[in-house]
Amino acid sequence: MTTTTSLPPEVRNVLTDVIEEGGAPEPPRRRRRRRAAEDGGDRGILSISDRRKPGVRWSTRVTHGLLLLVLIVVGLGPLLWLAKSAITPTEDTLRTPMALFPHGVDWANLSTAWSTVHIDVQFVNTIWVAAGSWAAQILVATTAGYALSVLRPAYGKVLYGLILTTLFVPSVVLLVPLYLTILNPPLLGQSLINTFWAVWLPAGASAFNVVLVKRFFDNLPREVFEAARTDGAGPFRLFWSIVLPMSKPILGVVSVFAIIAAWKDYLWPLLVLRDPGMQPLSVRLPTLQAAIQLDVYLAALAISTLIPIALFLVFQGLFLRSAGLGGAVKG
């Protein structure tokens, strides 16, 4: 007597459908769609039956391992080399750059870069520049996105079109008029040169952030807004108590973009922050390169990467789970 286990998989699937449904078997195309739906729709190049084969399973694991190794080398390699060179003497870095501490570790490079070269002042300046730029961009992006997506004024489409138009204007074209505006700002009557406001205020005018936040707000459930309005919530209460708590993913993404952009910006702080005592690390470090030793300079560079690395470690879960672009509520 022939058992079902000795039959081919296709025949067993047909018999299973007949036994479970008590009627004629499903067409092959409909059966494949049903099984794909039961599997959650998670179907890639390899099917589930292919993944269960030992040869395919081990080959995919080896391929994934090699790809992961390449990504680690390419992504973490420069950072690890910088961290190693920051505590390595200059002679070892020049003679054997890939060797691992051939003549010991020189921890004095970090203290020299921090205190003697006085990058501690530029480090604090960079934090101030990044914090102010972040606050300006969050304020403008959330309020503008809220007005365009939730309040929806009559002229909202025209305003949104103008915001999109500014994305096509190169930033270099706006450099001269923006500098003249900072040099002689309207209504103030006092130049903003050599003040942090000269960096903070232009950073807030980011059309990309407004578009990003607006698209996220469009995906929020409108039923929540209507319920809040029914309970008597005004526009400000709706924005502060309903929209912002539901928008933590996009706020995290905009925060990372804003801080990283302010941390690495060179040209604009160089133009408006002429006082060396107010310049951030991105402007001051290239100036100090010719005046200090290589090991101390690499130590200063390593110190300047601490905040971006810490920022990524804090928000990495946000990027890996949803990249900040998914909906806030699943319904």
Side-chain angles (χ1 to χ4, degrees), residues 62-305:
V62 171
T63 304
H64 292 166
L66 292 177
L67 291 176
L68 180 60
L69 181 61
V70 171
L71 290 176
I72 291 176
V73 172
V74 174
L76 293 180
L79 293 177
L80 295 178
W81 184 87
L82 179 62
K84 188 269 298 183
S85 301
I87 53 179
T88 302
T90 303
E91 294 79 6
D92 295 341
T93 302
L94 294 177
R95 294 177 181 176
T96 56
M98 303 306 296
L100 188 62
F101 309 120
H103 294 90
V105 177
D106 190 3
W107 294 101
N109 294 339
L110 298 175
S111 60
T112 302
W114 183 260
S115 58
T116 305
V117 184
H118 298 294
I119 69 165
D120 53 344
V121 177
Q122 282 75 37
F123 191 85
V124 175
N125 292 340
T126 309
I127 294 178
W128 275 110
V129 169
S133 300
W134 166 81
Q137 294 186 45
I138 287 291
L139 178 62
V140 174
T142 53
T143 52
Y146 173 74
L148 294 173
S149 177
V150 181
L151 298 182
R152 295 182 177 180
Y155 53 87
K157 293 184 178 180
V158 177
L159 183 60
Y160 186 60
L162 295 176
I163 293 175
L164 290 177
T165 305
T166 61
L167 294 175
F168 297 94
V169 181
S171 58
V172 179
V173 177
L174 303 176
L175 198 61
V176 174
L178 184 60
Y179 179 80
L180 295 178
T181 303
I182 294 298
L183 188 63
N184 187 18
L187 303 179
L188 294 181
Q190 183 179 0
S191 175
L192 296 179
I193 299 296
N194 282 329
T195 64
F196 289 129
W197 290 103
V199 182
W200 295 343
L201 294 179
S206 176
F208 175 76
N209 290 337
V210 174
V211 174
L212 197 65
V213 174
K214 192 261 183 188
R215 293 294 301 272
F216 183 88
F217 287 173
D218 289 340
N219 295 325
L220 296 179
R222 300 291 161 178
E223 296 80 6
V224 178
F225 302 155
E226 296 299 331
R229 291 191 180 99
T230 304
D231 292 340
F236 179 78
R237 181 65 181 274
L238 179 64
F239 172 74
W240 184 259
S241 301
I242 305 298
V243 176
L244 287 185
M246 297 172 64
S247 306
K248 292 180 181 179
I250 196 62
L251 294 181
V253 172
V254 173
S255 299
V256 172
F257 287 164
I259 295 177
I260 295 299
W263 199 268
K264 68 179 183 179
D265 192 14
Y266 172 76
L267 182 58
W268 183 248
L270 178 65
L271 293 176
V272 297
L273 298 179
R274 302 171 183 174
D275 185 5
M278 300 190 64
Q279 291 177 347
L281 288 170
S282 60
V283 176
R284 193 60 181 164
L285 284 180
T287 307
L288 296 174
Q289 182 178 3
I292 59 179
Q293 295 182 357
L294 178 62
D295 53 357
V296 178
Y297 180 70
L298 292 176
L301 289 178
I303 293 174
S304 66
T305 61

Side-chain angles (χ1 to χ4, degrees), residues 50-61:
D50 291 335
R51 294 176 185 175
R52 293 173 180 173
K53 298 178 181 179
V56 176
R57 183 170 62 251
W58 284 106
S59 61
T60 53
R61 289 181 179 178

